[in-house]
Amino acid sequence: MTAACRAEHIAVGSEILLGQIANGHAQTISRAFALHGFFLFHHTAVGDNFERIVKVFEVAARRSNVVVVTGGLGPTDDDLTKEALAAFLGRPSELSPEALRQLESWFAARGRKMPEQNRKQAYRIAGGELLPNPNGTAPGVYVCANGVHYFLLPGPPLEMEPMLQHEVIPRLKQIFGGGQVLVSRVIHFCGIGESDVDAAIKDLTGMANPTVAPLAGEGEMLLRITAAADHEEGARALIQPVEDEILRRFGSYVYGFDDETIASAVGKALRQAGATLAVAESCTGGLVSSMITAVPGASDYMLGGVTAYHNQAKVAWLGVREETLARFGAVSEQTALEMAQGVRERFAATYGLATTGIAGPGGGSPQKPVGLVFGAVVGPDGRQTVVRMQWRGSREQVRLRSAKRVLWELLKLVSPRAEAFPGAQSRA
Amino acid sequence: MTAACRAEHIAVGSEILLGQIANGHAQTISRAFALHGFFLFHHTAVGDNFERIVKVFEVAARRSNVVVVTGGLGPTDDDLTKEALAAFLGRPSELSPEALRQLESWFAARGRKMPEQNRKQAYRIAGGELLPNPNGTAPGVYVCANGVHYFLLPGPPLEMEPMLQHEVIPRLKQIFGGGQVLVSRVIHFCGIGESDVDAAIKDLTGMANPTVAPLAGEGEMLLRITAAADHEEGARALIQPVEDEILRRFGSYVYGFDDETIASAVGKALRQAGATLAVAESCTGGLVSSMITAVPGASDYMLGGVTAYHNQAKVAWLGVREETLARFGAVSEQTALEMAQGVRERFAATYGLATTGIAGPGGGSPQKPVGLVFGAVVGPDGRQTVVRMQWRGSREQVRLRSAKRVLWELLKLVSPRAEAFPGAQSRA
């Protein structure tokens, strides 16, 4: 086995430093590296400036032995990544006749002549090689110098991602062999505060392998367990007892694992129960429906929904009583409940769900401030839940947190769970 | 005037390097710096590792004179940012009795006693100061050493962002005075492909000040014009003629500017026209409603909507004829149109909008493949539009692109525009 991978990702592009686009590649590459057990210790972003790119290579070469660069391989004068690396390494660039032919046929296949400026994409750094890019004109570059492996990849995600999978990862496996695998397990919680969880896992967060770290989510919280081992099974065997212990302590607040969302967990529970759902939304305005239908196969259990933004729609479409609106107001426990009952009956669904509230920034009053939201869930056999939430935060946060919380209430009604952690207050 | 700002952002957190969360602060801070004319030349991310954080400070201190760090100020043993900076600067940390009192009252106001581990948040680096954090327990840190200004900010966005605005930016203005201001104008397009725009602005993208750069969006495209000048007005004066020229060429495909979204543009147009809207969604499943109601004040024009995922709901709730479904299918121009007509009539809205399609990944057929979506908009005086879309991409992309495209069709129906650029194909 050779030395361990100490990787760094460098994103090149002024638009990243101006905040005009997010540096999404950093996350994509980090995920892929973690999945395959390659340690990645730094992200860097730098603008389209020759000298600063060269300096960033200097820093990277001192601390990393794998440098993956995205962006700056296009045909324009602003695309400087390959030129800067050649200058930093002190190596000339050479035209690859084969790459030039491929470029010309790429354009020919699209009925166009190759513009002269694209010619520079067919150059490789001496001693290195070009990496095929089936989805665009910019080939990648691989070159190893002074023990550092450089991979230059194009910026567009649909070009970069296949090259990462098919060119970079396989070469790293060849170079570093079966290194240590890093496996993570993420546990998703709803209805419990971060500090309540934190306080009750002090004995777990101090461990070295696996590590346990709390992550803050929007309207939920997450715990990440990460283990390093020679093989994936070994890492999972380290994770399992810790996961079991966390479930023993907080199992009743856990809705899912890894990439699961509260909406996919609700979908799984409804499918298992052979149940269906209809949704009535006021302040969330379609967000709950949209989250549910974002899950593939949602048509198996999602019958539909009504966005009843106006009182008139609540009465006409959902059968909310005028008397209820007059006496308690549209933002009330009673209205939420009648909305959920109404949408359940009218769609003939097993479960009805409803939200009504004041998402802000306007529309609040001293009695009913911005952020006050009621959620209701109505099921068979008279089972029902109403939850009162009082959020602080932006309109977006109020909507998202309310949507997640009412889906969590639905999940509990569909698959009831014991209160395994009675010490923690369920809090909005 | 003093030296120019050469800023760097450092994000601290292993979850970023594992790809478990995106480094969103990098973009937020970049935007704020660009807006106020402070040049930011590097982003760095590093894990929760004391030695690596110290080394990242070494690199930053060599190339930057402003270093903004996010994350690692919490109470746990994993939170190492302040300790690493103190070690790098060779300065001791001192307890601030005032900060300790504030921390204790923060917990007291929430009916809790301050946990002992939070005590470390009340320490400041000698010679520096603590920055108030009204939204959490971790104060920020400001310290200037060897000509470098360090700002340490907490990781949670709702804590970090107000401190960036109220603590960091004002101090930078004091330190660097009125430097060159960098102003950007972003123009949003819908219904036109990136390559059509690219091909017709070659003369504009070569300029030095302002610069014009195309940015790819999901279901839309964007052009960014950026100018540098001594004052904001000077920069805007450089941008204006270029913006005018772009509008002259593609004005009919422009829906908005800067932070506008297609949903906020639709909202503005509906409000101006004194019109109302009702929405019927099948494949987008609430996404269109959710986008519309995400805009503050949407209740002025949004009456409501129906998510009619099942055929039965399309008939019962929207009045789609059984015959139409049997003859043309649920995914058809005819069904889309009847859905839009139905929701418009039943909500008594000025405009009705509908989507029906196959978002995937399952459910496709040779005749009606995944990604086939019909959108319909029906307005007063018999005005109506039906658009057939055939997308490639994930379920999420199909839904989002369809939602944006049908909102674009609605916008055109509400505020008709001339076809100023007939050469470009309107494409799905």
Side-chain angles (χ1 to χ4, degrees):
Chain A
M1 198 164 105
T2 53
C5 171
R6 298 188 312 277
E8 169 156 3
H9 169 244
I10 300 173
V12 178
S14 298
E15 66 276 25
I16 295 168
L17 295 170
L18 288 166
Q20 279 151 350
I21 66 164
N23 179 8
H25 289 340
Q27 189 172 15
T28 306
I29 290 169
S30 291
R31 272 194 189 160
F33 272 54
L35 184 71
H36 292 94
F38 300 119
F39 289 95
L40 194 149
F41 290 135
H42 296 90
H43 290 169
T44 302
V46 63
D48 301 310
N49 175 290
F50 189 83
E51 282 165 32
R52 280 196 287 272
I53 301 173
V54 169
K55 290 233 158 110
V56 157
F57 280 128
E58 282 173 21
V59 170
R62 275 200 300 271
R63 65 189 179 191
S64 308
N65 59 8
V66 170
V67 178
V68 181
V69 192
T70 51
L73 295 184
T76 78
D77 295 341
D78 261 4
D79 293 301
L80 298 165
T81 302
K82 192 162 51 174
E83 292 75 3
L85 181 59
F88 167 63
L89 298 177
R91 295 195 184 185
S93 288
E94 325 163 320
L95 182 73
S96 158
E98 193 196 329
L100 184 61
R101 267 196 305 278
Q102 282 171 356
L103 261 177
E104 285 168 345
S105 14
W106 196 94
F107 281 96
R110 284 153 182 82
R112 294 159 62 188
K113 198 176 168 312
M114 188 190 85
E116 190 52 30
Q117 62 173 9
N118 286 74
R119 196 178 167 85
K120 76 170 195 164
Q121 297 185 307
Y123 276 76
R124 71 165 158 246
I125 296 175
E129 46 185 308
L130 292 176
L131 305 174
N133 172 4
N135 302 306
T137 61
V141 174
Y142 167 67
V143 57
C144 179
N146 308 318
V148 183
H149 303 270
Y150 298 89
F151 295 89
L152 312 187
L153 302 177
L158 292 178
E159 301 178 30
M160 193 286 285
E161 287 166 21
M163 294 172 76
L164 177 68
Q165 293 305 331
H166 301 128
E167 302 293 335
V168 180
I169 297 293
R171 274 162 213 260
L172 290 180
K173 284 187 176 166
Q174 240 172 359
I175 296 164
F176 295 102
Q180 280 234 314
V181 174
L182 215 55
V183 175
S184 279
R185 178 80 159 159
V186 176
I187 309 180
H188 298 256
F189 298 82
C190 222
I192 185 170
E194 189 180 348
S195 53
D196 290 317
V197 176
D198 271 8
I201 56 164
K202 284 275 164 262
D203 54 323
L204 302 176
T205 47
M207 296 187 303
N209 190 22
T211 58
V212 176
L215 305 172
E218 192 61 71
E220 60 181 285
M221 86 148 279
L222 307 91
L223 277 182
R224 184 191 69 219
I225 314 171
T226 306
D230 288 343
H231 298 285
E232 187 176 334
E233 307 85 75
R236 298 219 178 272
L238 287 169
I239 288 173
Q240 196 60 57
V242 178
E243 179 181 327
D244 291 346
E245 179 55 28
I246 291 169
L247 293 184
R248 198 187 62 73
R249 296 186 195 179
F250 312 102
S252 63
Y253 296 96
V254 169
Y255 75 72
F257 298 91
D258 298 330
D259 287 339
E260 276 187 282
T261 63
I262 183 73
S264 69
V266 160
K268 205 160 75 174
L270 288 169
R271 186 179 277 119
Q272 271 171 7
T276 57
L277 175 66
V279 170
E281 302 186 66
S282 183
C283 67
T284 52
L287 181 60
V288 175
S289 294
S290 180
M291 286 165 69
I292 291 169
T293 59
V295 180
S299 53
D300 292 350
Y301 45 82
M302 176 65 168
L303 298 183
V306 172
T307 298
Y309 227 55
H310 271 210
N311 280 352
Q312 204 180 321
K314 292 184 181 76
V315 174
W317 288 78
L318 297 168
V320 174
R321 291 175 301 162
E322 301 269 16
E323 189 199 324
T324 304
L325 289 171
R327 187 158 160 212
F328 302 103
V331 178
S332 65
E333 196 178 306
Q334 291 81 0
T335 299
L337 208 48
E338 289 188 20
M339 288 170 69
Q341 285 161 345
V343 81
R344 175 177 181 263
E345 276 166 29
R346 291 176 180 216
F347 274 89
T350 323
Y351 291 90
L353 175 158
T355 63
T356 180
I358 301 148
S365 69
Q367 289 75 37
K368 299 194 173 175
V370 166
L372 176 66
V373 179
F374 292 91
V377 187
V378 176
D381 310 321
R383 278 187 291 143
Q384 63 182 45
T385 310
V386 190
V387 58
R388 179 187 192 280
M389 300 164 257
Q390 178 64 58
W391 305 109
R392 294 176 193 204
S394 66
R395 180 180 179 90
E396 198 186 342
Q397 288 172 317
V398 169
R399 283 159 47 96
L400 188 57
R401 292 173 186 176
S402 301
K404 285 192 178 176
R405 178 57 186 272
V406 71
L407 284 171
W408 167 244
E409 297 300 333
L410 171 61
L411 184 62
K412 287 195 290 181
L413 212 62
V414 179
S415 3
R417 49 199 71 209
E419 284 290 324
F421 188 61
Q425 291 299 311
S426 171
R427 56 179 66 176
Chain B
M1 198 166 103
T2 53
C5 171
R6 299 187 310 278
E8 169 156 4
H9 170 242
I10 301 173
V12 178
S14 297
E15 65 275 24
I16 295 167
L17 294 170
L18 287 166
Q20 281 154 347
I21 65 163
N23 179 8
H25 289 338
Q27 188 172 12
T28 307
I29 290 170
S30 292
R31 273 194 188 159
F33 272 54
L35 184 72
H36 292 95
F38 300 118
F39 289 95
L40 193 150
F41 290 135
H42 296 91
H43 290 169
T44 301
V46 65
D48 302 309
N49 175 292
F50 189 84
E51 282 164 31
R52 280 196 287 273
I53 300 173
V54 170
K55 289 231 157 108
V56 157
F57 279 127
E58 283 173 22
V59 170
R62 276 200 299 272
R63 66 189 178 191
S64 309
N65 58 8
V66 171
V67 178
V68 181
V69 192
T70 51
L73 295 185
T76 78
D77 295 341
D78 261 4
D79 292 302
L80 298 165
T81 302
K82 192 162 50 173
E83 291 76 4
L85 181 58
F88 167 62
L89 298 178
R91 295 195 184 184
S93 289
E94 324 162 318
L95 181 72
S96 158
E98 192 197 330
L100 185 60
R101 266 195 306 277
Q102 282 170 355
L103 261 176
E104 285 168 344
S105 19
W106 196 94
F107 280 96
R110 283 153 183 84
R112 293 159 62 189
K113 197 177 171 308
M114 187 189 86
E116 190 51 32
Q117 62 174 8
N118 285 74
R119 196 179 167 85
K120 77 170 197 165
Q121 298 184 309
Y123 278 76
R124 70 165 158 246
I125 295 174
E129 46 185 307
L130 292 175
L131 305 174
N133 172 4
N135 302 305
T137 60
V141 174
Y142 166 67
V143 56
C144 179
N146 308 317
V148 183
H149 303 270
Y150 298 89
F151 295 90
L152 312 187
L153 303 177
L158 291 178
E159 302 178 30
M160 192 285 285
E161 287 166 22
M163 293 172 76
L164 177 68
Q165 293 305 332
H166 301 129
E167 302 293 334
V168 180
I169 299 291
R171 275 161 213 261
L172 291 179
K173 284 187 176 165
Q174 238 173 359
I175 297 164
F176 295 103
Q180 276 235 317
V181 173
L182 215 55
V183 175
S184 279
R185 177 80 158 159
V186 176
I187 309 180
H188 298 256
F189 298 81
C190 221
I192 185 169
E194 189 179 347
S195 53
D196 290 318
V197 175
D198 271 6
I201 57 163
K202 285 272 168 264
D203 54 323
L204 302 177
T205 47
M207 295 186 305
N209 190 20
T211 59
V212 177
L215 304 174
E218 192 61 69
E220 60 181 288
M221 86 149 282
L222 307 91
L223 277 182
R224 182 193 70 219
I225 315 172
T226 306
D230 289 341
H231 298 284
E232 188 175 333
E233 307 85 75
R236 298 220 178 271
L238 288 168
I239 288 173
Q240 196 59 57
V242 178
E243 178 181 328
D244 291 345
E245 178 58 26
I246 291 170
L247 292 183
R248 200 187 60 73
R249 296 186 196 180
F250 312 103
S252 64
Y253 295 96
V254 169
Y255 76 70
F257 299 91
D258 299 330
D259 287 339
E260 276 188 282
T261 63
I262 183 73
S264 69
V266 160
K268 205 162 74 175
L270 287 170
R271 186 179 275 121
Q272 270 170 9
T276 58
L277 174 66
V279 169
E281 302 186 66
S282 183
C283 68
T284 51
L287 182 59
V288 175
S289 293
S290 179
M291 287 165 68
I292 291 169
T293 59
V295 180
S299 52
D300 292 350
Y301 44 83
M302 176 65 168
L303 298 183
V306 173
T307 298
Y309 227 53
H310 271 211
N311 280 353
Q312 203 180 321
K314 292 185 181 75
V315 174
W317 289 77
L318 297 168
V320 173
R321 290 176 301 163
E322 300 269 14
E323 189 198 324
T324 305
L325 289 170
R327 189 160 161 212
F328 301 104
V331 179
S332 65
E333 196 177 306
Q334 292 81 0
T335 298
L337 209 47
E338 290 188 19
M339 286 170 69
Q341 286 160 345
V343 81
R344 174 177 182 262
E345 277 166 29
R346 292 178 178 213
F347 274 89
T350 324
Y351 291 90
L353 175 157
T355 63
T356 180
I358 300 147
S365 70
Q367 289 75 38
K368 299 195 173 175
V370 167
L372 177 66
V373 179
F374 292 91
V377 188
V378 176
D381 311 320
R383 280 187 289 144
Q384 64 182 46
T385 310
V386 190
V387 58
R388 180 188 191 283
M389 301 163 258
Q390 178 64 60
W391 305 108
R392 292 176 193 207
S394 66
R395 180 179 179 90
E396 197 186 340
Q397 287 171 317
V398 169
R399 283 160 47 96
L400 188 57
R401 292 174 186 174
S402 300
K404 285 192 178 177
R405 178 56 186 273
V406 71
L407 284 172
W408 167 244
E409 297 299 332
L410 170 62
L411 183 62
K412 287 194 290 183
L413 211 63
V414 179
S415 1
R417 50 200 69 210
E419 285 289 323
F421 187 60
Q425 292 297 309
S426 170
R427 54 180 66 177

